[in-house]
Amino acid sequence: MVSVSSALAKSALLVLLVLAAPVGAKLGKVPGMEDAPSPDEAQAFTQADSDGSGDLSIDEYTKMLSATLSSVGEEGKIEGYEEHIAESFKGVDQDANGGICFKEWSSLVSQGKEKAAQAGRMREVAHDAKVRMSFDMSDGDKDGVLTQDEFFEGFSKYGYDKSQITAFFAKGNLDGDHTLTFEEFEHARSGNAQAEQDKRKGRLAEEEEQQRTEFKEADANLDGQLSSEEYLKVFMEFAKEMGGDDAIKAVTPEEILASYKSFDLDGNGGVSEQEWVDVLRANNARAAHSQRPARDL
């Protein structure tokens, strides 16, 4: 299996973004991108080029995409797209020599960056339009500003309680006139977003520290790797804590092995501390995303 470092995962996900477009699209310099490749791109290419030939073969190219999908919880998603991948490989292989050189790889990653940027801009525009619409719909007398009563009536339906709405209103009421213009509303929103981002960074740092502590406790022989036996012990203890003996009986050895392999990103037969943290972080992020309520503030 191809080792999936953060550099390779980042570049490979950009490649996957390009593959969502019609195959065979002409590759070239993307406006606004630097001419010089980033160190991450060079590291990612070197890692994907497992035989060190300087070119990615179709096999290396496919393995890289498959391993990256597996690392983000989409194992097996590449099956059935082999023909599509082969056609895209030919499109990237501009000199038709049967391999993808670093220059061709960089062009593909750059195209992925541009697509990611475009998607991000579209999401921002759509979200801003939705927020503006929510503000306008809450403006009952259509005078361009929200009173505290209008604000509460309009935004309480998004799940916020009176104390949250009162605090938000106070943060945005910069001139003290007891109304919010859209500009003041946006000011309060940006302050909330930054505060939430800071809280999230703090939570992630605490979670990572706890995960690293748990890894060290599980690493009984202190070799920096979790063996399948060490992982099994941790798994059983966790299952028992969560659901008792019935939870342990409900899990098959095959399921435990599959779980272990999902942590072994580089396929070397052991789970490193960084692999442990990376997989747990990805799992937590997916769980948080699936439980996140829809809000507009």
Side-chain angles (χ1 to χ4, degrees):
M1 181 185 290
V2 178
S3 173
V4 185
S5 67
S6 60
L8 178 55
K10 180 180 177 181
S11 294
L13 287 170
L14 290 169
V15 169
L16 288 167
L17 184 59
V18 175
L19 293 185
V23 177
K26 185 177 180 180
L27 296 175
K29 183 176 179 182
V30 178
M33 299 303 300
E34 297 178 357
D35 290 334
S38 71
D40 274 357
E41 288 176 30
Q43 179 187 348
F45 182 85
T46 300
Q47 195 170 16
D49 180 22
S50 57
D51 63 6
S53 66
D55 285 327
L56 295 187
S57 66
I58 181 64
D59 185 53
E60 289 171 331
Y61 181 72
T62 303
K63 284 182 178 178
M64 175 267 295
L65 299 180
S66 179
T68 300
L69 282 171
S70 296
S71 75
V72 295
E74 299 294 332
E75 188 170 1
K77 292 291 185 179
I78 211 161
E79 294 178 6
Y81 290 92
E82 290 83 358
E83 185 176 344
H84 181 63
I85 291 170
E87 289 181 24
S88 76
F89 182 88
K90 291 178 183 178
V92 179
D93 180 18
Q94 295 176 337
D95 58 11
N97 71 342
I100 296 175
C101 67
F102 181 63
K103 183 178 179 181
E104 292 165 336
W105 162 271
S106 294
S107 179
L108 184 62
V109 171
S110 293
Q111 192 178 37
K113 286 180 180 177
E114 179 62 17
K115 284 185 174 291
Q118 289 175 354
R121 288 192 292 269
M122 290 176 65
R123 283 194 299 270
E124 288 177 6
V125 169
H127 182 68
D128 288 347
K130 183 179 179 182
V131 169
R132 180 75 218 205
M133 185 183 299
S134 298
F135 181 93
D136 291 342
M137 290 176 65
S138 301
D139 182 13
D141 56 11
K142 306 304 177 187
D143 61 352
V145 297
L146 297 183
T147 65
Q148 189 160 349
D149 287 341
E150 286 176 329
F151 187 63
F152 180 78
E153 184 176 349
F155 285 88
S156 59
K157 61 187 177 184
Y158 295 114
Y160 296 94
D161 60 34
K162 188 171 184 178
S163 63
Q164 289 174 304
I165 292 176
T166 300
F168 184 95
F169 191 91
K171 186 183 295 183
N173 185 27
L174 301 177
D175 55 12
D177 67 352
H178 305 293
T179 64
L180 287 187
T181 64
F182 186 69
E183 290 71 23
E184 289 174 324
F185 175 74
E186 285 287 84
H187 174 81
R189 273 188 69 228
S190 62
N192 273 7
Q194 184 60 52
E196 283 300 316
Q197 187 177 26
D198 292 342
K199 287 181 183 178
R200 182 173 181 273
K201 286 181 179 178
R203 287 196 300 270
L204 289 176
E206 290 177 2
E207 286 177 4
E208 180 170 332
E209 183 178 355
Q210 181 180 350
Q211 290 160 359
R212 292 188 184 280
T213 299
E214 291 169 349
F215 178 90
K216 290 179 174 62
E217 292 174 351
D219 183 19
N221 62 3
L222 304 179
D223 65 348
Q225 298 270 326
L226 290 189
S227 65
S228 56
E229 291 79 11
E230 289 170 330
Y231 181 83
L232 175 63
K233 182 179 179 182
V234 173
F235 187 98
M236 289 301 190
E237 288 174 352
F238 177 76
K240 187 170 184 177
E241 181 181 337
M242 296 300 293
D245 292 335
D246 289 341
I248 294 176
K249 294 176 183 177
V251 183
T252 67
E254 291 77 15
E255 289 172 330
I256 298 173
L257 180 60
S259 174
Y260 177 73
K261 287 182 177 179
S262 73
F263 279 85
D264 182 16
L265 299 178
D266 61 10
N268 70 346
V271 175
S272 69
E273 182 175 332
Q274 193 56 51
E275 287 174 326
W276 176 264
V277 170
D278 286 346
V279 173
L280 288 178
R281 184 189 296 125
N283 289 345
N284 290 344
R286 282 195 294 273
H289 181 76
S290 66
Q291 297 169 7
R292 187 178 303 157
R295 289 189 167 184
D296 288 273
L297 288 184

